[in-house]
Amino acid sequence: REAMTSADRDVGPGPIATAVGPLDSGVRLRPVSAADDTFVRALFHADRAPQFAGVPEPMLTMLLDQQFRSQQLGYRQAFPRAEHLVIVSDGQSVGRVIVAVVGEGQRRVLHFVDIVVAEAMRGHGIGAEVMTSLGRSAQTLGATSMTLAVLSANTRARRLYERLGFIATGDDGVRTAMVKPLS
């Protein structure tokens, strides 16, 4: 089964992506399309493969494909209105972000379902710029805070989120929940 259905492909930008527009550095966000399937899958593989060091290649590919499909299905079930966006820099796809505005009124938040920047592009400020711009856009849509959950062992990402103003609100031993008020 494919991770995306035909209804998920080649749709125009949603309200969050539309509110962002081009970022200062020239980085931009665009909706994921069918043409991005190979990139998004390869990004997932590259990000997760180090966790399975020593697993033979054919088995690793099968395992990661299965995890990718499960992750995408889970995200779509939990966040059916989420926007799935590709991060583009200098005309190249360099990452992916999935965001959803959830809640109502004063409890309306922008939730980062997932954000991944290609390893070679990490440390260049792309993730920070994307998250900051999405936060500004979420405010125009009435969001009062941003939330996310990061793997507790992912100290590099957690440090980035803390620099951006996110505060840990809980840790279940696997994931740390974080929130950033928007003012």
Side-chain angles (χ1 to χ4, degrees):
R1 177 159 153 74
E2 290 184 59
M4 298 173 70
T5 66
S6 58
D8 299 318
R9 298 179 188 278
D10 301 319
V11 296
I16 299 167
T18 300
V20 171
L23 299 133
D24 293 338
S25 68
V27 170
R28 65 182 183 88
L29 301 173
R30 63 171 174 74
V32 169
S33 72
D36 297 308
D37 286 353
T38 301
F39 167 73
V40 171
R41 180 173 270 110
L43 184 65
F44 178 88
H45 279 236
D47 191 55
R48 294 290 175 94
Q51 297 173 18
F52 300 99
V55 174
E57 182 59 36
M59 184 182 293
L60 178 62
T61 298
M62 186 172 63
L63 173 68
L64 292 173
D65 278 345
Q66 183 180 35
Q67 284 191 346
F68 176 74
R69 286 189 301 272
S70 294
Q71 180 195 62
Q72 297 306 295
L73 180 60
Y75 286 166
R76 289 185 190 288
Q77 288 175 341
F79 301 97
R81 294 181 140 147
E83 292 184 39
H84 297 246
L85 307 166
V86 172
I87 303 167
V88 179
S89 177
D90 293 326
Q92 298 293 320
S93 298
V94 299
R96 180 200 60 184
V97 61
I98 302 171
V99 291
V101 175
V102 296
E104 298 294 329
Q106 293 297 317
R107 295 188 165 272
R108 193 173 174 119
V109 303
L110 175 69
H111 182 69
F112 285 87
V113 178
D114 194 22
I115 182 167
V116 181
V117 175
E119 180 69 33
M121 299 305 292
R122 293 178 189 165
H124 298 337
I126 292 172
E129 183 180 16
V130 166
M131 293 180 78
T132 300
S133 294
L134 285 168
R136 283 193 302 265
S137 296
Q139 279 185 287
T140 67
L141 299 172
T144 58
S145 63
M146 298 189 298
T147 59
L148 56 83
V150 60
L151 290 174
S152 301
N154 191 345
T155 55
R156 184 176 182 181
R158 186 169 171 165
R159 282 193 309 265
L160 167 65
Y161 303 146
E162 289 169 347
R163 281 194 313 271
L164 293 174
F166 283 84
I167 300 163
T169 59
D171 192 318
D172 64 8
V174 177
R175 288 179 185 81
T176 301
M178 301 184 86
V179 64
K180 176 184 178 179
L182 297 172
S183 50

